[in-house]
Amino acid sequence: MNKLWIVTMETFLRQIKSWSFVLLILGPFLMFGISIGAGYMGAQSNQGADKIAVISTQPQLRNSFIKSNKDDVNKSVTDKKTATKKMNHNKLAGYLELEIVSGKVSAHYTGTTSLGTGTKSRINNYLMQTQQQLNLANAKLTTGQIKTLQQQPVLKESIKKSAGTANIAKQLSFWITVVMVYIILITYTTITAQEIASEKGTKIMEIIFSSTTAVKYFLGKIFGVMLVILTQVLIYLLGGWGAYVFAQNSSLTKPFMHEYQSLITSVLKNLLSVNLIYLLLGVVIYTILAAFSGALVAKAEDASKAAQPVIMLNLAAFFITFPFQNNLDSMVVKVLSYIPFFSTYFMPLRIINNDASTLEIVLSIVILALSIVLLAGYIGKIYQGLMLQTDDSSFWKRFKRGVSYTK
């Protein structure tokens, strides 16, 4: 048992000290930081560029507009000369001239681009309301007549926001889950297959097998990779939590988080669930198969090709999920959610859409876990026979020799 953990820790430490692991860990956080930084610098450089100035010889009219449209207005600009200068330096979108002549409100906008739909609508609403107030004042109506004219129609809405949010959350959860599983599987199957293949035919393997069993050495390799995976997932969870807290409190992202809070919460709930178990078990079973694939190469020079069979299987499982994301009643989905190598993709798809019962989830996990144990035990037994073969024979000949080695 001591030798098993020596191999495990040696594999684990060698992997986490590599530059590839460091870049793999830092990649998502660097992208998040760059996105936030770019957004902040863009907001700073364009600060005020989307606002307009309001110019009027009637201060009351100007102040009234600013009061009702303060988010659209640059309050510091009060004259046309300054507005034109700022507009030419991309510090202002344009300026709006307001005036009342002979009881009629008029506005003239000058800018580098057309008014946005929202801003234009707010300006028109303001002009209509102001004109209506002037009309009422000039008409000299009684209080009763004014109340009659101010009657407004009533529009009621009954919208089930949760249903729409839930559907969007399911779609986002699906894509995030399958892409995350795919990337992690590709990464670790490649790492494992190349590490095993690089040892193929070396003298050191004969020395290792003389001091410990092939099963212990093989399991030590698998356990080491599993520790690396757990380390990565743990770092992502802690880092993700930190990024989430930052996004909730940052002035740059706080409005977005507040607006889509229910959607974000639903997506996180789908990701931080039993789907994580499928992610971990899926990586383990693909890693074991990658180790087997690495042991089957003819020589160490073929290490770069070792992961190709496993990558092709992963690609197949990844792309097969796409046609069925909106067809969960298909028998193909239900069957593949129990089959190892495919259940890692298909059962999370059913879980996200509330299409799998607790019994079905447990049964699928048991089948996947049992498959991992049986596959690891079997490959461990033939591992020495596979690794000590150095002749450049066909795949099936090497496989048959490996199997016969345990008899």
Side-chain angles (χ1 to χ4, degrees):
M1 186 61 69
N2 185 44
K3 292 178 180 178
L4 171 65
W5 291 114
I6 289 175
V7 176
T8 299
M9 293 309 299
E10 189 273 337
T11 303
F12 171 71
L13 293 174
R14 185 172 66 255
Q15 289 296 333
I16 64 172
K17 289 179 180 179
S18 65
W19 278 108
S20 59
F21 178 79
V22 175
L23 293 175
L24 185 66
I25 293 295
L26 293 180
F29 300 110
L30 287 173
M31 291 300 296
F32 177 77
I34 291 171
S35 300
I36 295 295
Y40 176 78
M41 288 187 291
Q44 289 294 106
S45 62
N46 293 321
Q47 192 172 16
D50 58 342
K51 293 189 175 184
I52 64 173
V54 180
I55 300 168
S56 178
T57 56
Q58 298 159 304
Q60 186 177 358
L61 184 63
R62 179 178 184 272
N63 293 334
S64 175
F65 181 89
I66 292 174
K67 187 176 180 180
S68 58
N69 299 276
K70 57 184 178 181
D71 292 334
D72 298 323
V73 178
N74 184 326
K75 302 176 185 178
S76 63
V77 181
T78 58
D79 61 275
K80 188 186 296 188
K81 183 178 179 181
T82 305
T84 304
K85 185 178 180 181
K86 282 185 172 291
M87 193 172 63
N88 292 335
H89 287 84
N90 199 32
K91 298 295 183 181
L92 198 68
Y95 59 88
L96 182 70
E97 297 176 89
L98 295 175
E99 63 178 350
I100 299 177
V101 179
S102 302
K104 185 176 180 180
V105 182
S106 64
H108 179 215
Y109 176 74
T110 304
T112 54
T113 58
S114 300
L115 280 169
T117 304
T119 304
K120 191 173 184 178
S121 176
R122 287 189 287 273
I123 292 174
N124 281 326
N125 287 337
Y126 171 79
L127 294 174
M128 290 175 64
Q129 290 173 6
T130 305
Q131 187 64 59
Q132 185 179 24
Q133 291 172 1
L134 286 173
N135 293 341
L136 290 173
N138 293 331
K140 298 180 181 180
L141 302 175
T142 65
T143 304
Q145 290 172 325
I146 291 174
K147 286 184 178 179
T148 301
L149 289 173
Q150 288 178 341
Q151 292 289 338
Q152 298 290 333
V154 177
L155 172 64
K156 293 183 178 180
E157 292 183 291
S158 297
I159 301 172
K160 296 181 180 179
K161 290 185 177 180
S162 58
T165 301
N167 290 331
I168 296 173
K170 288 176 183 178
Q171 291 290 327
L172 285 175
S173 300
F174 165 76
W175 284 107
I176 293 173
T177 299
V178 296
V179 171
M180 182 171 63
V181 169
Y182 172 76
I183 291 174
I184 293 178
L185 288 182
I186 286 289
T187 301
Y188 283 102
T189 52
T190 303
I191 290 173
T192 304
Q194 290 184 355
E195 178 166 333
I196 298 296
S198 63
E199 298 176 342
K200 189 68 182 284
T202 58
K203 293 294 183 181
I204 190 66
M205 293 308 300
E206 297 180 11
I207 299 172
I208 290 173
F209 289 147
S210 66
S211 60
T212 186
T213 63
V215 174
K216 287 184 178 180
Y217 185 76
F218 174 74
L219 292 179
K221 288 283 186 182
I222 299 301
F223 290 160
V225 174
M226 286 174 61
L227 286 178
V228 177
I229 297 167
L230 288 172
T231 302
Q232 181 181 356
V233 172
L234 182 60
I235 292 173
Y236 280 173
L237 288 175
L238 293 175
W241 177 78
Y244 178 75
V245 172
F246 173 82
Q248 281 189 316
N249 294 282
S250 172
S251 58
L252 190 63
T253 55
K254 192 174 182 179
F256 174 85
M257 295 294 291
H258 179 73
E259 183 178 357
Y260 298 102
Q261 185 62 56
S262 59
L263 176 62
I264 294 170
T265 301
S266 298
V267 172
L268 290 176
K269 184 179 179 181
N270 287 329
L271 296 178
L272 304 177
S273 62
V274 70
N275 288 335
L276 279 179
I277 297 176
Y278 278 96
L279 170 63
L280 293 173
L281 293 181
V283 175
V284 172
I285 195 169
Y286 272 93
T287 297
I288 293 172
L289 189 64
F292 176 64
S293 179
L296 281 174
V297 300
K299 49 186 179 294
E301 289 76 11
D302 295 331
S304 60
K305 305 174 185 177
Q308 289 182 359
V310 187
I311 290 174
M312 294 304 294
L313 178 61
N314 186 27
L315 276 171
F318 176 66
F319 284 111
I320 289 174
T321 57
F322 294 170
F324 297 103
Q325 58 178 306
N326 295 316
N327 188 20
L328 299 178
D329 293 329
S330 172
M331 185 57 65
V332 175
V333 175
K334 293 181 179 179
V335 171
L336 291 179
S337 64
Y338 296 101
I339 298 177
F341 299 106
F342 293 92
S343 60
T344 303
Y345 286 99
F346 282 89
M347 186 54 83
L349 175 60
R350 294 182 61 191
I351 293 171
I352 288 170
N353 289 276
N354 300 316
D355 189 62
S357 65
T358 303
L359 179 61
E360 289 175 318
I361 295 171
V362 171
L363 180 60
S364 176
I365 290 176
V366 169
I367 292 173
L368 183 55
L370 186 60
S371 300
I372 289 172
V373 173
L374 294 176
L375 186 63
Y378 177 71
I379 295 177
K381 288 180 181 179
I382 66 173
Y383 188 68
Q384 184 170 344
L386 294 171
M387 289 299 291
L388 294 180
Q389 294 183 62
T390 57
D391 59 314
D392 193 6
S393 56
S394 67
F395 169 84
W396 289 111
K397 284 185 178 180
R398 294 195 299 274
F399 178 74
K400 289 178 180 178
R401 287 176 186 173
V403 174
S404 63
Y405 188 85
T406 60
K407 293 180 180 180

